[in-house]
């Protein structure tokens, strides 16, 4: 049934021509824009540590300083008052652990300015043994679709260092066609937090997880595809431009999303405008879809969460993308996506393979139920690794 559905949607197989590096280049060139270069250096300034969650964890705020090369960030010349160092802060929640103990780390990007324990329940995750590093996406670049007039971020976002201005202030089509959109800038932010996390003695560097919901789910999928330090990527309800296939989708597609909201094209690079007018093919006329980006995470873990009444995200399109990425995982020697040969029913969880999936009751949200299902999936994978070592 599933293969028939993929055939009906004309979803292109990934083998025998699969090339991960070419695929990543294609997605950056045609859809997201090229993620900016790594900084010359990344340093941190840690605030005071205090107990939280009744002594179950410790909290501290950390400022991350990224010194940028002028050759890679032309905005440094265009806006010299910025200097060459981009600074943003993150919230860190560290579970109480024994000396010498190492714990997995969740890098979560929150979709609100006030820390939201629904979107990222740090208390629950710390109780499960995860350290949590919360990145607020507006500290990297403001959202062009919902800017909220947050002037401090418009003036100091990484888009200013790259473009010399906030993206929404640029003249339309003034950027290079493959220059980064905001999703690529947010993906850059995930990797900069990973730069910090990998310096911490209490973090198990083999278990760094990136997570995000909706538009941030799109960004974390790109970050995880590009950055091998992420052992698992969790894009929850990432919709079009994330996990969801565009071919045959009855809701949002990449083509519709480019012009759906004011400035939604700025999430992507200008090359993405072509998909508003034609099917999904690269410059050579070869078809592609989002399953190819998901496959770039192989052989590492991916977890996909959906809700049955999501008004934005078509669960069938995300589920099919998982199935279509399966062949790359199997070629990499992994378990791939283990599922019944049918579409998911509400309440289904498929946790046996390297690609995990659940379909819960509810709407477009990221809540504790989603996180609890993810924690069950990932802790079982950690046990598998330990059992084999």
């Amino acid at each position: 049934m599933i293969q028939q559905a993929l055939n009906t949607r004309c979803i292109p197989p990934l083998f025998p021509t699969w090339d991960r590096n070419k695929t990543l280049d294609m997605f950056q060139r045609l859809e997201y824009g090229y993620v900016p270069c790594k900084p010359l250096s990344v340093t941190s300034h840690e605030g005071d540590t205090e107990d939280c969650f009744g002594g179950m964890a410790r909290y501290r705020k950390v400022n991350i300083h990224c010194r940028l090369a002028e050759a890679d960030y032309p905005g440094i010349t265009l806006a010299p008052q910025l200097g060459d160092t981009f600074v943003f802060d993150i919230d860190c929640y560290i579970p109480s652990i024994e000396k010498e103990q190492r714990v997995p780390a969740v890098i979560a990007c929150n979709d609100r300015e006030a820390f939201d324990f629904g979107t990222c329940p740090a208390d629950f995750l710390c109780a499960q043994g995860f350290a949590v590093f919360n990145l607020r996406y507006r500290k990297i670049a403001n959202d062009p679709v919902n800017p909220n007039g947050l002037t401090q971020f418009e003036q100091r976002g990484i888009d200013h260092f790259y473009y010399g201005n906030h993206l929404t202030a640029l003249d339309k089509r003034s950027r290079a066609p493959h220059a980064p959109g905001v999703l690529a800038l947010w993906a850059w932010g995930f990797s900069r937090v990973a730069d910090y996390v990998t310096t911490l003695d209490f973090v198990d560097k083999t278990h760094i997880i990136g997570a995000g919901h909706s538009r941030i789910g799109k960004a974390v999928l790109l970050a995880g595809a590009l950055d091998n330090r992420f052992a698992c990527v969790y894009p929850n309800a990432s919709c079009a431009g994330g996990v969801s296939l565009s071919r045959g989708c009855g809701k949002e597609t990449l083509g519709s999303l480019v012009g759906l909201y004011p400035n939604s094209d700025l999430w992507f690079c200008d090359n993405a405008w072509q998909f508003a007018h034609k099917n999904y093919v690269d410059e050579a006329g070869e078809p592609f879809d989002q399953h190819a980006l998901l496959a770039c995470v192989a052989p590492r873990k991916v977890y996909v969460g959906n809700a049955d009444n999501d008004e934005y995200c078509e669960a069938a399109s995300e589920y099919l993308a998982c199935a279509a990425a399966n062949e790359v995982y199997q070629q990499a020697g992994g378990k791939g996506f283990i599922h019944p040969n049918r579409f998911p029913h509400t309440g289904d969880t498929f946790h046996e393979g390297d690609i995990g999936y659940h379909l819960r009751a509810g709407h477009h949200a990221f809540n504790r139920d989603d996180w609890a299902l993810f924690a069950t999936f990932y802790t079982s994978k950690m046990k598998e690794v330990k059992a084999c070592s």
Side-chain angles (χ1 to χ4, degrees), residues 265-327:
D265 56 318
L266 295 178
W267 282 347
F268 305 94
C269 69
D270 282 357
N271 274 335
W273 266 104
Q274 64 186 294
F275 304 117
H277 309 294
K278 68 177 183 180
N279 217 333
Y280 306 99
V281 296
D282 63 19
E283 297 101 327
E286 294 296 322
F288 76 95
D289 215 320
Q290 296 299 120
H291 65 303
L293 184 63
L294 192 156
C296 288
V297 182
R300 295 167 289 133
K301 312 301 181 189
V302 175
Y303 194 76
V304 176
N306 286 150
D308 59 0
N309 285 310
D310 193 327
E311 62 271 35
Y312 301 102
C313 184
E314 183 182 84
S317 290
E318 296 209 0
Y319 185 78
L320 285 173
C322 295
N326 184 54
E327 57 181 326

Side-chain angles (χ1 to χ4, degrees), residues 124-125 128 130 234 303 351 369-381:
F124 168 77
L125 289 168
Q128 300 300 309
F130 295 91
Y234 180 13
Y303 194 76
H351 286 177
D369 291 338
D370 295 306
W371 280 105
L373 290 166
F374 164 77
T376 299
F377 166 78
Y378 196 74
T379 53
S380 72
K381 300 306 171 186

Side-chain angles (χ1 to χ4, degrees), residues 226-249:
L226 289 165
D227 192 336
N228 289 326
R229 294 175 297 178
F230 289 99
C232 182
V233 186
Y234 180 13
N236 187 76
S238 56
C239 312
V243 173
S244 184
L245 298 172
S246 285
R247 290 171 175 263
C249 185

Side-chain angles (χ1 to χ4, degrees), residues 87-136:
V87 182
F88 66 98
D89 61 64
I90 59 173
D91 296 303
C92 307
Y93 296 85
I94 307 157
S96 296
I97 54 178
E98 300 294 331
K99 191 175 182 180
E100 307 299 330
Q101 186 179 351
R102 304 290 180 266
V103 295
V106 171
I107 299 174
C109 193
N110 204 342
D111 64 348
R112 301 176 189 175
E113 281 316 303
F115 190 77
D116 180 359
F117 288 99
T119 302
C120 180
D123 54 344
F124 168 77
L125 289 168
C126 285
Q128 300 300 309
F130 295 91
V132 179
F133 302 87
N134 186 67
L135 166 66
R136 287 170 285 175

Side-chain angles (χ1 to χ4, degrees), residues 195-249:
D195 291 338
Y196 168 67
V197 169
T198 54
T199 68
L200 301 173
D201 291 340
F202 62 84
V203 168
D204 184 339
K205 313 304 189 296
T206 65
H207 293 292
I208 297 175
I209 300 140
H213 169 65
S214 195
R215 66 196 65 181
I216 311 302
K218 308 178 204 300
V220 77
L221 179 60
L222 178 62
L226 289 165
D227 192 336
N228 289 326
R229 294 175 297 178
F230 289 99
C232 182
V233 186
Y234 180 13
N236 187 76
S238 56
C239 312
V243 173
S244 184
L245 298 172
S246 285
R247 290 171 175 263
C249 185

Side-chain angles (χ1 to χ4, degrees), residues 109-175:
C109 193
N110 204 342
D111 64 348
R112 301 176 189 175
E113 281 316 303
F115 190 77
D116 180 359
F117 288 99
T119 302
C120 180
D123 54 344
F124 168 77
L125 289 168
C126 285
Q128 300 300 309
F130 295 91
V132 179
F133 302 87
N134 186 67
L135 166 66
R136 287 170 285 175
Y137 71 75
R138 295 185 193 277
K139 295 296 179 76
I140 300 300
N142 208 355
D143 186 356
V145 175
N146 185 23
N148 288 332
L150 296 171
T151 306
Q152 59 178 314
F153 303 121
E154 291 178 3
Q155 292 178 346
R156 293 289 299 178
I158 195 64
D159 46 350
H160 240 82
F161 286 83
Y162 192 88
Y163 289 107
N165 211 332
H166 180 51
L167 265 174
T168 54
L170 294 178
D171 291 335
K172 290 291 186 180
R173 306 298 159 267
S174 65
R175 54 181 178 158

Side-chain angles (χ1 to χ4, degrees), residues 3 24 44 48 102 136 144 171 200 225 230-231 267 349 352 355:
Q3 187 57 54
L24 288 171
S44 61
D48 293 337
R102 304 290 180 266
R136 287 170 285 175
D171 291 335
L200 301 173
F230 289 99
W267 282 347
T349 58
E352 296 302 315
I355 302 173

